[in-house]
Amino acid sequence: MVFITEKLNIISEIVETQKISEQLQYLLEQHYVNLEATLLRAKVLREFSTAKVQYIVQSPIQNKQLNIAFLFAPFILANLNKTVIYQSKATSSVLNILNHYYQVEQKQNLKVDEVLSALNIFLDLSQTDLSDIDFLYFSLIKALCRADVSQIFLITDLNINLDRLHDLAQFFKVRIHIIETNSQDKMIDISQLNMRKLVFKNKDDEYVALCEQFSQLNAKLLWCDHSYSQEQAIHLVEDMFYTEHIYEKLSVYAEYMQTRLQHNKALTHAAFLP
């Protein structure tokens, strides 16, 4: 992909090992009428935006990977009165957790801004065959196309070119943070994860330890803001896993999404009635 504006070509140099593929180029052409104009317009308008959206991009989560902890990051930030978009692939690990609360796999004809206006959270869970590298590029571009995004978190184990990322952040006037993960960091089978122990007060020793690990990981997003010390951030996040604040945010989000899903189904059914 070659942009007319030279600075935009930095986007396709973020991942060390690979640039944007032809498959992703085609997808972007379908998704945006004029991607370059959209990116540049967002850059200009960002300076005047009063909204400050936190955009989390997480590389696909596989079974038994400890980085499933970051699935709770949007609810943690929302508890701190942040507006958050979280984007990752709808892998079986993600679905194993969220399908307890709403039908994640059902296609939702919802506008992101409508959900953000109502709840300050939106989970963009893609069902796509894009490679992990292309998925990160696509998600980053989606984030940069929003004028209200002030901060982007890239949660990944991919090898990122930090110099290029710094240049990109400078050009777009947005803060971009890398949170490195290790796919070798393992936990219990995610299908066996007991949510009642994880997000409620009563925990056995196994879930006390797991909660501590989840809190340490998610606290990294809070350190990036320099608003909290490492110890304060960990304690704050851990508190949310015990006081049910994460569960409350997740439940409200799920109830909203399920209600909208049922409403859409009713409208579709009515449209086919004689």
Side-chain angles (χ1 to χ4, degrees), residues 10 40 146 160 186 198-199 201 229 242 258:
I10 297 171
L40 293 175
R146 291 188 62 99
I160 303 297
K186 301 295 185 182
L198 182 66
V199 295
K201 189 175 295 184
S229 69
Y242 281 86
Q258 193 62 34

mmCIF file of all heavy atoms in Angstrom, residues 10 40 146 160 186 198-199 201 229 242 258:
data_model
loop_
_atom_site.group_PDB
_atom_site.id
_atom_site.type_symbol
_atom_site.label_atom_id
_atom_site.label_comp_id
_atom_site.label_asym_id
_atom_site.label_seq_id
_atom_site.Cartn_x
_atom_site.Cartn_y
_atom_site.Cartn_z
ATOM 1 N N ILE A 10 4.254 5.342 6.901
ATOM 2 C CA ILE A 10 4.809 4.795 8.148
ATOM 3 C C ILE A 10 3.899 3.712 8.707
ATOM 4 O O ILE A 10 4.359 2.743 9.313
ATOM 5 C CB ILE A 10 4.982 5.914 9.211
ATOM 6 C CG1 ILE A 10 5.982 6.962 8.715
ATOM 7 C CG2 ILE A 10 5.443 5.349 10.548
ATOM 8 C CD1 ILE A 10 6.049 8.199 9.607
ATOM 9 N N LEU A 40 -6.448 11.612 7.248
ATOM 10 C CA LEU A 40 -6.003 13.008 7.374
ATOM 11 C C LEU A 40 -7.082 13.881 8.010
ATOM 12 O O LEU A 40 -6.778 14.794 8.789
ATOM 13 C CB LEU A 40 -5.594 13.554 6.006
ATOM 14 C CG LEU A 40 -4.345 12.911 5.397
ATOM 15 C CD1 LEU A 40 -4.104 13.430 3.987
ATOM 16 C CD2 LEU A 40 -3.117 13.166 6.275
ATOM 17 N N ARG A 146 -10.527 7.472 13.658
ATOM 18 C CA ARG A 146 -11.476 8.121 14.574
ATOM 19 C C ARG A 146 -10.842 9.372 15.175
ATOM 20 O O ARG A 146 -9.808 9.287 15.850
ATOM 21 C CB ARG A 146 -11.888 7.165 15.704
ATOM 22 C CG ARG A 146 -12.751 6.000 15.268
ATOM 23 C CD ARG A 146 -13.265 5.241 16.485
ATOM 24 N NE ARG A 146 -14.108 6.082 17.317
ATOM 25 C CZ ARG A 146 -15.444 6.083 17.311
ATOM 26 N NH1 ARG A 146 -16.093 5.270 16.493
ATOM 27 N NH2 ARG A 146 -16.125 6.869 18.113
ATOM 28 N N ILE A 160 7.307 -5.003 17.150
ATOM 29 C CA ILE A 160 6.904 -3.675 16.686
ATOM 30 C C ILE A 160 8.125 -2.761 16.544
ATOM 31 O O ILE A 160 9.005 -2.747 17.403
ATOM 32 C CB ILE A 160 5.898 -3.035 17.672
ATOM 33 C CG1 ILE A 160 4.666 -3.945 17.860
ATOM 34 C CG2 ILE A 160 5.475 -1.652 17.202
ATOM 35 C CD1 ILE A 160 3.847 -4.175 16.620
ATOM 36 N N LYS A 186 1.027 -19.177 30.394
ATOM 37 C CA LYS A 186 -0.153 -20.043 30.364
ATOM 38 C C LYS A 186 -0.979 -19.961 31.642
ATOM 39 O O LYS A 186 -0.502 -19.537 32.694
ATOM 40 C CB LYS A 186 0.275 -21.498 30.126
ATOM 41 C CG LYS A 186 1.039 -21.726 28.828
ATOM 42 C CD LYS A 186 0.186 -21.447 27.606
ATOM 43 C CE LYS A 186 0.910 -21.797 26.318
ATOM 44 N NZ LYS A 186 0.119 -21.492 25.117
ATOM 45 N N LEU A 198 -13.773 -15.546 39.693
ATOM 46 C CA LEU A 198 -12.858 -14.512 39.201
ATOM 47 C C LEU A 198 -13.349 -13.101 39.514
ATOM 48 O O LEU A 198 -12.565 -12.251 39.939
ATOM 49 C CB LEU A 198 -12.652 -14.663 37.691
ATOM 50 C CG LEU A 198 -11.673 -13.664 37.062
ATOM 51 C CD1 LEU A 198 -10.249 -13.889 37.570
ATOM 52 C CD2 LEU A 198 -11.714 -13.771 35.533
ATOM 53 N N VAL A 199 -14.632 -12.844 39.318
ATOM 54 C CA VAL A 199 -15.117 -11.457 39.425
ATOM 55 C C VAL A 199 -16.010 -11.216 40.644
ATOM 56 O O VAL A 199 -16.618 -10.156 40.765
ATOM 57 C CB VAL A 199 -15.863 -11.022 38.134
ATOM 58 C CG1 VAL A 199 -14.900 -10.992 36.967
ATOM 59 C CG2 VAL A 199 -17.046 -11.941 37.835
ATOM 60 N N LYS A 201 -16.371 -11.756 45.141
ATOM 61 C CA LYS A 201 -15.535 -11.624 46.341
ATOM 62 C C LYS A 201 -14.928 -12.942 46.801
ATOM 63 O O LYS A 201 -13.751 -12.993 47.181
ATOM 64 C CB LYS A 201 -16.378 -11.009 47.467
ATOM 65 C CG LYS A 201 -15.581 -10.617 48.694
ATOM 66 C CD LYS A 201 -16.479 -9.906 49.710
ATOM 67 C CE LYS A 201 -16.989 -8.582 49.150
ATOM 68 N NZ LYS A 201 -17.784 -7.833 50.157
ATOM 69 N N SER A 229 0.962 5.031 40.573
ATOM 70 C CA SER A 229 2.210 4.265 40.709
ATOM 71 C C SER A 229 1.893 2.813 40.389
ATOM 72 O O SER A 229 0.721 2.416 40.316
ATOM 73 C CB SER A 229 2.746 4.376 42.136
ATOM 74 O OG SER A 229 1.880 3.672 43.035
ATOM 75 N N TYR A 242 -12.633 -7.861 43.214
ATOM 76 C CA TYR A 242 -13.237 -8.311 44.475
ATOM 77 C C TYR A 242 -14.558 -7.601 44.768
ATOM 78 O O TYR A 242 -15.433 -8.169 45.419
ATOM 79 C CB TYR A 242 -12.267 -8.093 45.639
ATOM 80 C CG TYR A 242 -11.193 -9.155 45.743
ATOM 81 C CD1 TYR A 242 -10.009 -9.050 45.022
ATOM 82 C CD2 TYR A 242 -11.354 -10.284 46.553
ATOM 83 C CE1 TYR A 242 -9.018 -10.019 45.097
ATOM 84 C CE2 TYR A 242 -10.370 -11.270 46.638
ATOM 85 C CZ TYR A 242 -9.203 -11.126 45.907
ATOM 86 O OH TYR A 242 -8.236 -12.097 45.987
ATOM 87 N N GLN A 258 -27.667 -7.710 24.290
ATOM 88 C CA GLN A 258 -28.661 -8.767 24.083
ATOM 89 C C GLN A 258 -30.034 -8.169 23.768
ATOM 90 O O GLN A 258 -30.769 -8.683 22.911
ATOM 91 C CB GLN A 258 -28.743 -9.664 25.320
ATOM 92 C CG GLN A 258 -29.516 -10.957 25.099
ATOM 93 C CD GLN A 258 -28.871 -11.853 24.053
ATOM 94 O OE1 GLN A 258 -27.653 -11.903 23.929
ATOM 95 N NE2 GLN A 258 -29.683 -12.553 23.275
#
